Amino acid sequence: MRERLLAVATELFAERGFHGTSLQAVAEAVGIRKPSLLYHFPSKDALRDAVLDTMLGHWRADIAAVLARSRVRDQLTDVLAAMVAYFSEAPQRARLLLREALDNRVGLEARFRQHLEPWTGLLAEHIRRGQTHGVVREDVHPEAFILQMIVLGVGFVALSDLGDAVVAGAPHADANLHEILRIARTSLYRPRPAED
Amino acid sequence: MRERLLAVATELFAERGFHGTSLQAVAEAVGIRKPSLLYHFPSKDALRDAVLDTMLGHWRADIAAVLARSRVRDQLTDVLAAMVAYFSEAPQRARLLLREALDNRVGLEARFRQHLEPWTGLLAEHIRRGQTHGVVREDVHPEAFILQMIVLGVGFVALSDLGDAVVAGAPHADANLHEILRIARTSLYRPRPAED
DNA sequence: CCTACCGATCGGTAGG
DNA sequence: CCTACCGATCGGTAGG
């Protein structure tokens, strides 16, 4: 039951926001009464915390798996692609993250530090190594680059269905994903001799 | 008074969200009573509409001015820089936009179409012209590129104070802005012969 | 622009 | 896991 509540709460918080979702709505969606929900999670804030921790925990595990199996040269774009894939398979995750970044900055920051900093540190170090080997452009700012790629990946998934309205040509999701990876690759790696 | 209400409502909607902001809070912040607010704006939704229209109207005017005075070669990165500058001078604008993209998709889409489509069309055409002249990379997808740059610019400003938590190095705002422009430039334009 | 007031819904508790 | 209930606050109206 706890897991069903978490799944439904994730969905509703992502779609309508924390303040736009009542405990009543969550309880109703899983078929129990509100006070029963409050037996599993002692308050609405406790429910939010559990939702967030569960999601970031999954993300961390996902990224660790990609880092472990990816070849070094492709590691960075692989991680970006994995990130977009992770969020695309359930876009509510990206929306939830964006919402929490706006609604619950301090809470999200603490969790980011705890769950994500280990591997962003790895990636930054990786970029620096690529720079000394001449594979990565010298003018890349490692930390800033990683941050922008996260913004781009999360933002892309969360806002992808807005695309049609913003630009007339209405690129579909594939084109957008392809373009993100192209932007990342081109702005990160030095052109190889054969290219261009 | 109408303008003061709009300014305060923009601020509060951006910071706490539409559902997290009560009419009582808006009225109190400008020193009137709630029913008096409802004399100026007949409902909370009408207030939201007015806030959004005002902001997007300003943005459109801002972009038009930049397009008018910018040189052709730099037009795209100039627009991006102007966009980041516009949002940076009042980050609440970026947060408000992100929130509305999540909370009020259809309403925002309609306004985007109305306010922004004219100039995104211009920019896409501009990219295509750059491609036939060999200045812009052939593999750039114009519409997708523009969309990603908007996501990046808005997302960067709205989420910039999260940077410290995500990556250890804590790049400050200047480094992030510099990195965004570098990413845009590198992934858009073909390298000139002298470069690299 | 105000006071006074409305029904509905909010998060949460008591008690079983 | 439930019924019954709490005070507080919500958006909005009546009437001046």
Side-chain angles (χ1 to χ4, degrees):
Chain A
M1 175 53 69
R2 218 178 164 268
E3 282 171 29
R4 281 179 62 203
L5 280 168
L6 278 177
V8 165
T10 302
E11 179 93 28
L12 291 181
F13 286 166
E15 233 45 58
R16 312 180 194 170
F18 181 74
H19 293 295
T21 304
S22 63
L23 292 179
Q24 166 75 29
V26 178
E28 192 173 291
V30 301
I32 62 175
R33 306 285 177 179
K34 188 177 56 171
S36 310
L37 189 166
L38 286 163
Y39 163 78
H40 293 282
F41 300 94
S43 71
K44 197 184 181 185
D45 274 309
L47 179 58
R48 151 188 271 174
D49 288 349
V51 162
L52 212 48
D53 277 325
T54 303
M55 205 259 279
L56 286 176
H58 286 161
W59 189 14
R60 176 176 56 176
D62 214 67
I63 296 296
V66 172
L67 278 177
R69 72 161 177 269
S70 164
R71 283 188 305 157
V72 172
R73 220 267 178 195
D74 310 312
Q75 213 161 52
L76 259 148
T77 45
D78 279 2
V79 168
L80 181 62
M83 182 173 84
V84 174
Y86 174 72
F87 288 121
S88 292
E89 89 190 23
Q92 17 148 342
R93 292 166 176 163
R95 296 205 184 101
L96 185 75
L97 262 188
L98 269 191
R99 285 189 184 280
E100 290 296 305
L102 294 163
D103 282 344
N104 185 22
R105 212 165 307 160
V106 292
L108 188 63
E109 274 180 1
R111 282 172 180 78
F112 262 24
R113 242 183 272 274
Q114 178 192 339
H115 287 101
L116 262 50
E117 229 181 28
W119 66 260
T120 55
L122 268 180
L123 289 174
E125 196 190 326
H126 188 67
I127 291 181
R128 260 182 266 274
R129 223 177 304 125
Q131 285 174 320
T132 62
H133 286 96
V135 180
V136 171
R137 292 171 182 272
E138 282 174 20
D139 52 359
V140 171
H141 185 307
E143 280 81 12
F145 182 82
I146 292 172
L147 181 60
Q148 300 316 322
M149 288 302 124
I150 293 178
V151 168
L152 201 55
V154 173
F156 156 64
V157 176
L159 311 176
S160 60
D161 41 2
L162 235 82
D164 317 7
V166 178
V167 295
H172 48 32
D174 279 358
N176 277 318
L177 174 55
H178 187 266
E179 185 66 11
I180 284 187
L181 293 177
R182 190 196 66 75
I183 290 171
R185 222 179 299 114
T186 314
S187 60
L188 179 67
Y189 297 119
R190 294 181 63 164
R192 297 189 234 188
E195 284 178 12
D196 194 77
Chain B
M1 175 53 68
R2 216 175 166 271
E3 282 172 28
R4 283 179 61 203
L5 281 168
L6 278 177
V8 165
T10 302
E11 178 92 28
L12 291 180
F13 286 166
E15 233 44 59
R16 312 181 193 170
F18 181 74
H19 293 295
T21 304
S22 63
L23 292 179
Q24 165 74 30
V26 177
E28 192 172 289
V30 301
I32 63 175
R33 306 286 178 179
K34 188 177 57 173
S36 310
L37 190 165
L38 286 163
Y39 163 77
H40 293 282
F41 301 93
S43 72
K44 197 184 182 186
D45 274 311
L47 179 58
R48 152 187 270 174
D49 288 348
V51 162
L52 212 49
D53 278 326
T54 303
M55 205 260 279
L56 286 176
H58 286 160
W59 190 14
R60 177 176 55 177
D62 214 65
I63 295 296
V66 171
L67 278 178
R69 71 161 178 269
S70 163
R71 283 188 306 156
V72 171
R73 219 266 181 196
D74 310 313
Q75 214 160 53
L76 258 147
T77 46
D78 279 2
V79 168
L80 180 62
M83 181 172 86
V84 174
Y86 173 73
F87 288 120
S88 291
E89 88 189 22
Q92 16 148 344
R93 292 167 176 164
R95 297 205 185 101
L96 184 75
L97 261 188
L98 269 190
R99 285 190 185 280
E100 291 296 307
L102 293 163
D103 282 343
N104 184 21
R105 211 165 309 160
V106 291
L108 188 64
E109 274 180 3
R111 282 171 180 78
F112 263 21
R113 243 182 271 273
Q114 178 192 340
H115 287 101
L116 261 51
E117 230 181 27
W119 67 259
T120 56
L122 268 181
L123 289 175
E125 196 191 326
H126 187 70
I127 291 180
R128 260 182 266 273
R129 222 177 304 124
Q131 285 174 320
T132 62
H133 286 96
V135 180
V136 170
R137 293 171 181 271
E138 283 174 18
D139 52 0
V140 171
H141 185 306
E143 280 81 12
F145 183 81
I146 292 172
L147 181 60
Q148 299 317 322
M149 287 302 123
I150 293 178
V151 168
L152 201 55
V154 172
F156 157 64
V157 175
L159 311 176
S160 61
D161 43 0
L162 234 82
D164 318 7
V166 177
V167 295
H172 45 31
D174 280 358
N176 277 318
L177 174 55
H178 186 266
E179 186 66 10
I180 283 187
L181 294 177
R182 190 196 67 74
I183 290 171
R185 221 179 300 115
T186 313
S187 61
L188 179 66
Y189 297 119
R190 293 180 64 163
R192 297 188 236 187
E195 285 179 10
D196 195 78

